[in-house]
Amino acid sequence: MLCQNLDNQITCYSACDRFKLNRKKVFKGHVVAGYACVPGVSPDGNYVMSGDSDGRLWFWDWKSCKVFRKLKCHDQVCIQAIWHPVEPSRVATCSWDGTIKYWE
């Protein structure tokens, strides 16, 4: 389970028996303090993504936890992004600026 934290990082918890923090899986670099930006995982499990307060979409490599790519998507907060369920190279984003965009 991925959790967006107000200290500008995404943490990972296992939820099998009890919730347990995985200290090796922390994704940093984006600024989300004060916003409920929703993190996501690619259909193949290789990438984590999240929007941020500057309208960017961030991608991290799951194994290394390093930033893979950043895209400027919106003029305001990029509040959520969702991977296409069949075509993992496509992502839809939405923002507080009232737009929904589809990316390849």
Side-chain angles (χ1 to χ4, degrees):
M1 178 172 68
L2 293 176
C3 296
Q4 189 78 261
N5 300 319
L6 293 179
D7 61 352
N8 299 320
Q9 61 183 4
I10 297 171
T11 52
C12 181
Y13 291 83
S14 67
C16 294
D17 296 329
R18 299 175 130 183
F19 286 106
K20 183 179 178 185
L21 176 63
N22 183 343
R23 296 185 191 278
K24 294 180 181 179
K25 294 293 178 193
V26 177
F27 304 93
K28 300 178 181 181
H30 62 315
V31 177
V32 294
Y35 300 99
C37 298
V38 180
V41 178
S42 64
D44 60 8
N46 290 330
Y47 300 98
V48 171
M49 74 174 170
S50 176
D52 77 357
S53 61
D54 294 327
R56 290 184 300 240
L57 182 60
W58 291 68
F59 296 90
W60 293 268
D61 179 77
W62 172 258
K63 289 181 182 178
S64 69
C65 297
K66 293 184 179 178
V67 174
F68 176 74
R69 176 182 245 174
K70 295 182 282 187
L71 300 172
K72 178 67 174 170
C73 298
H74 297 277
D75 294 329
Q76 294 182 18
V77 179
C78 179
I79 202 72
Q80 187 169 9
I82 300 174
W83 255 285
H84 190 284
V86 179
E87 297 180 35
S89 64
R90 297 179 184 214
V91 173
T93 60
C94 62
S95 172
W96 281 8
D97 62 14
T99 59
I100 297 172
K101 295 182 180 180
Y102 191 59
W103 303 88
E104 230 180 291

